[in-house]
Amino acid sequence: MSKSFDIIGDIVIIRSIPDNSYTLRELKTFGQSLLDSHKNIKTVFFQSSSVEGTFRLRKLDYILGEKKTRTFHKENNCVFSVDIEKCYFSPRLSHERWRIVQKVMPKEVIVNMFAGVGCFSILIAKWNEFTKGYSIDINPTAISFMKNNIRINRVFGKVIPLLGDAKIILKNKLSSMADRIIMPLPEKAFEYLPSAIISLKKSGGWIHYYDFEHGKKTSYVLDKIKFKVSKKLNSLGIDFNISTSRIVRSIGPNWYQVVLDIHILKIPDSF
Ligand SMILES: C[S@@+](CC[C@H](N)C(=O)[O-])C[C@H]1O[C@@H](n2cnc3c(N)ncnc32)[C@H](O)[C@@H]1O
């Protein structure tokens, strides 16, 4: 059977492969082989739905081991407490999170519009001493785990958790003050792009924009997203430059998660 799985702390999630269905017996056999070969794993789940809904959650079927959904996951000297059933978390984004951490400069003000349990913001605060991060999520449980993660990673005061819709929070509380905006919600990033610009300083800054796109060739996929975003920014009168476009990961056959690093050079006063 498929060897696709994610390890989050001491929990393993077996993932389905398109056009494949497994019997419970197959899942238990595979789960037991994972428990035997990874001594730190205590629980095995099967992901029986895609990531869905506003909070980006997935349905998990219990297979083996300790019956629990809360765990602690270590990543680049940080520890994240997470309930995998009630909050979004993906270890597959760790490379991308680290890439962004390395771009941040001292004294930057950073806004993560879709922060989950706070991974991007906490990693940035931990590795860049003089920064301030505003970390927004609409899921109250994710915010409560984020608050705990701020405490256990000792970044209190450097990461500010904010509960609510990013669009409303940026407009009412965080306009014209950020140097860098992170938008790790591909389903909403395009719609929320004008809100991200509202939050950037008038002198400009950076937007890390995530999106999904279909296509056989990755070069075509990147060009398609660049075209879509450029058209939108041009229509808003924004002076910008897309410095990087890259595939973050493949999420299905000919289907990709993409990131654009957009350098916003100037924002019109009327914005
Ligand atoms: C893909 S997850 C974020 C992943 C996270 N940045 C990480 O590295 O683990 C997207 C998050 O956006 C939140 N969300 C969805 N709609 C939102 C909105 N309108 N405003 C703020 N957060 C939202 C979801 O609750 C979810 O936690």
Side-chain angles (χ1 to χ4, degrees):
M1 75 173 283
S2 129
K3 294 274 183 293
S4 176
F5 59 90
D6 283 341
I7 297 176
I8 304 177
D10 58 2
I11 298 177
V12 68
I13 302 175
I14 302 172
R15 292 154 58 103
S16 62
I17 296 265
D19 304 327
N20 240 325
S21 60
Y22 310 122
T23 63
L24 183 60
R25 195 175 162 169
E26 282 172 327
L27 287 169
K28 281 193 185 285
T29 307
F30 184 43
Q32 189 58 53
S33 72
L34 289 170
L35 285 178
D36 293 341
S37 56
H38 296 73
K39 293 296 170 210
N40 55 329
I41 290 174
K42 296 204 174 79
T43 307
V44 181
F45 281 101
F46 174 65
Q47 179 174 335
S48 58
S49 78
S50 51
V51 172
E52 295 167 341
T54 303
F55 297 167
R56 311 310 299 146
L57 304 177
R58 54 199 154 184
K59 193 170 173 304
L60 296 170
D61 298 342
Y62 167 78
I63 303 296
L64 275 176
E66 213 178 287
K67 245 186 179 166
K68 58 161 192 168
T69 52
R70 289 171 76 141
T71 189
F72 290 93
H73 184 84
K74 288 187 186 156
E75 184 177 306
N76 287 314
N77 269 8
C78 290
V79 181
F80 300 115
S81 165
V82 60
D83 185 324
I84 56 166
E85 201 173 37
K86 297 185 180 138
C87 313
Y88 178 90
F89 182 84
S90 174
R92 293 181 184 223
L93 292 175
S94 64
H95 176 80
E96 179 58 19
R97 288 193 276 261
W98 186 241
R99 191 183 74 86
I100 302 298
V101 168
Q102 290 172 301
K103 290 194 174 294
V104 172
M105 305 295 284
K107 298 196 179 160
E108 278 193 9
V109 175
I110 299 131
V111 174
N112 186 349
M113 292 172 65
F114 311 108
V117 297
C119 307
F120 271 103
S121 321
I122 290 168
L123 280 159
I124 289 171
K126 195 82 182 170
W127 285 90
N128 300 277
E129 218 180 322
F130 303 106
T131 56
K132 184 140 193 161
Y134 294 90
S135 208
I136 306 168
D137 205 283
I138 203 164
N139 176 356
T141 308
I143 289 287
S144 127
F145 275 86
M146 190 193 298
K147 286 181 179 165
N148 192 30
N149 289 330
I150 289 170
R151 190 183 55 77
I152 58 186
N153 290 285
R154 300 176 188 199
V155 290
F156 194 77
K158 292 178 70 184
V159 178
I160 317 293
L162 294 167
L163 172 64
D165 182 338
K167 202 183 270 189
I168 296 168
I169 292 179
L170 295 189
K171 186 164 177 269
N172 294 343
K173 292 192 181 150
L174 302 176
S175 71
S176 305
M177 45 79 76
D179 297 291
R180 191 177 294 276
I181 313 272
I182 310 170
M183 307 184 76
L185 179 57
E187 293 80 2
K188 286 227 169 90
F190 190 69
E191 181 197 336
Y192 278 50
L193 196 51
S195 303
I197 291 164
I198 287 175
S199 188
L200 274 182
K201 287 177 178 162
K202 286 284 180 208
S203 53
W206 288 90
I207 296 178
H208 303 290
Y209 171 91
Y210 296 84
D211 208 335
F212 291 138
E213 193 53 85
H214 291 274
K216 281 207 170 106
K217 281 194 170 171
T218 54
S219 57
Y220 169 74
V221 165
L222 295 174
D223 284 348
K224 215 163 143 189
I225 298 271
K226 279 195 277 184
F227 180 77
K228 173 173 126 178
V229 169
S230 299
K231 197 169 159 203
K232 178 76 180 176
L233 292 174
N234 282 328
S235 77
L236 296 172
I238 307 291
D239 194 2
F240 69 98
N241 168 34
I242 298 176
S243 71
T244 308
S245 60
R246 65 179 284 269
I247 304 286
V248 177
R249 56 180 174 161
S250 162
I251 46 167
N254 301 321
W255 195 20
Y256 299 96
Q257 182 174 358
V258 171
V259 61
L260 303 183
D261 295 340
I262 311 169
H263 193 191
I264 303 288
L265 304 166
K266 198 160 179 282
I267 299 170
D269 289 336
S270 55
F271 208 86

